[in-house]
Amino acid sequence: ELKVEQNPLFLSMQEGKNYTIYCNYSTTSDRLYWYRQDPGKSLESLFVLLSNGAVKQEGRLMASLDTKARLSTLHITAAVHDLSATYFCAVDQGGSEKLVFGKGTKLTVNP
Amino acid sequence: DGGITQSPKYLFRKEGQNVTLSCEQNLNHDAMYWYRQDPGQGLRLIYYSQIVNDFQKGDIAEGYSVSREKKESFPLTVTSAQKNPTAFYLCASRERGGKETQYFGPGTRLLVL
């Protein structure tokens, strides 16, 4: 059974600082997705990572995938308040059309 | 505009009542999903459908039922057997067999009176 673990679950950081959110998963997969959720809202797709070594960047966020380590990272550079949200990673279970989601990382960026 | 719509935005259920949440998509996606999210928690899969007239149970299907009579529609019924239905319900769709992400609707918040 595929399990997806994110850490940390809560992250409070100052504006201008850098930090990384980690997403580990338990079985082989080469399809991983990152989403953002603002309070009271739905999920918005951020990144789609489809192969080992894939790297995607959008603004101050950069996501990468290491399928051999079964690890994805979401790196935040020079955080700003607008990045405050909950970030979820999800892994494709393969063959079933299902995604398995991590518990989410609640990020708070303080001035 | 292509996307997913969910209605209503808020829904109130009385004890012993069945209620139905609507989900419609015009993205021409084969696969559709229902998730439940409790406050401060992650997403749990209720049901999913890979094609019309077919659906599978997710991790927490008890107390819920679905139908998939049309490609664009995947309604979820919360039955009276679901004793703790208060949650945020999210519908999603995805291109089947591809490598696309899931696209989510705006959600329905269900509250028990």
Side-chain angles (χ1 to χ4, degrees):
Chain A
E1 180 189 350
L2 173 60
K3 293 190 188 301
V4 179
E5 288 189 2
Q6 284 183 239
N7 68 84
L9 297 183
F10 298 92
L11 176 56
S12 180
M13 55 190 299
Q14 283 186 307
E15 281 191 327
K17 299 292 187 183
N18 304 334
Y19 208 83
T20 300
I21 298 170
Y22 297 89
C23 176
N24 291 89
Y25 54 98
S26 61
T27 63
T28 302
S29 177
D30 59 359
R31 303 181 189 181
L32 190 139
Y33 309 84
W34 283 96
Y35 298 87
R36 169 182 171 143
Q37 185 178 36
D38 291 304
K41 303 292 187 182
S42 185
L43 274 72
E44 171 192 354
S45 178
L46 288 176
F47 299 111
V48 177
L49 303 169
L50 299 177
S51 61
N52 186 41
V55 177
K56 295 280 183 73
Q57 183 162 5
E58 180 75 31
R60 300 173 188 274
L61 299 178
M62 183 174 72
S64 65
L65 178 61
D66 181 343
T67 59
K68 294 178 182 178
R70 299 176 187 166
L71 171 69
S72 179
T73 59
L74 181 65
H75 187 72
I76 303 151
T77 301
V80 293
H81 180 69
D82 285 351
L83 291 179
S84 296
T86 299
Y87 294 87
F88 291 94
C89 65
V91 180
D92 194 305
Q93 192 155 290
S96 70
E97 301 292 337
K98 290 197 297 183
L99 298 186
V100 178
F101 284 79
K103 292 184 184 295
T105 297
K106 185 174 182 179
L107 171 66
T108 304
V109 181
N110 302 304
Chain B
D1 284 335
I4 303 175
T5 57
Q6 290 185 242
S7 62
K9 187 173 181 180
Y10 295 96
L11 185 58
F12 298 91
R13 192 191 91 164
K14 295 179 183 177
E15 199 162 329
Q17 188 181 38
N18 292 352
V19 292
T20 298
L21 286 60
S22 168
C23 177
E24 304 276 331
Q25 54 100 359
N26 62 3
L27 300 168
N28 201 34
H29 288 165
D30 283 308
M32 295 187 74
Y33 308 81
W34 274 107
Y35 294 93
R36 170 179 171 144
Q37 187 178 35
D38 291 284
Q41 303 297 312
L43 277 68
R44 292 188 288 171
L45 182 65
I46 306 172
Y47 269 97
Y48 66 106
S49 168
Q50 298 184 57
I51 200 165
V52 174
N53 293 322
D54 187 43
F55 49 83
Q56 288 79 38
K57 292 182 180 179
D59 301 316
I60 56 163
E62 187 173 347
Y64 300 96
S65 65
V66 293
S67 62
R68 187 85 187 276
E69 296 176 2
K70 298 187 295 183
K71 187 175 184 177
E72 58 270 24
S73 179
F74 191 40
L76 173 74
T77 296
V78 184
T79 74
S80 57
Q82 174 49 246
K83 297 306 179 188
N84 185 22
T86 297
F88 189 41
Y89 290 86
L90 289 161
C91 178
S93 71
R94 185 189 189 199
E95 186 64 45
R96 182 174 174 231
K99 299 180 178 180
E100 295 278 325
T101 189
Q102 285 186 5
Y103 294 90
F104 285 83
T108 292
R109 202 165 295 277
L110 177 60
L111 300 165
V112 177
L113 292 177

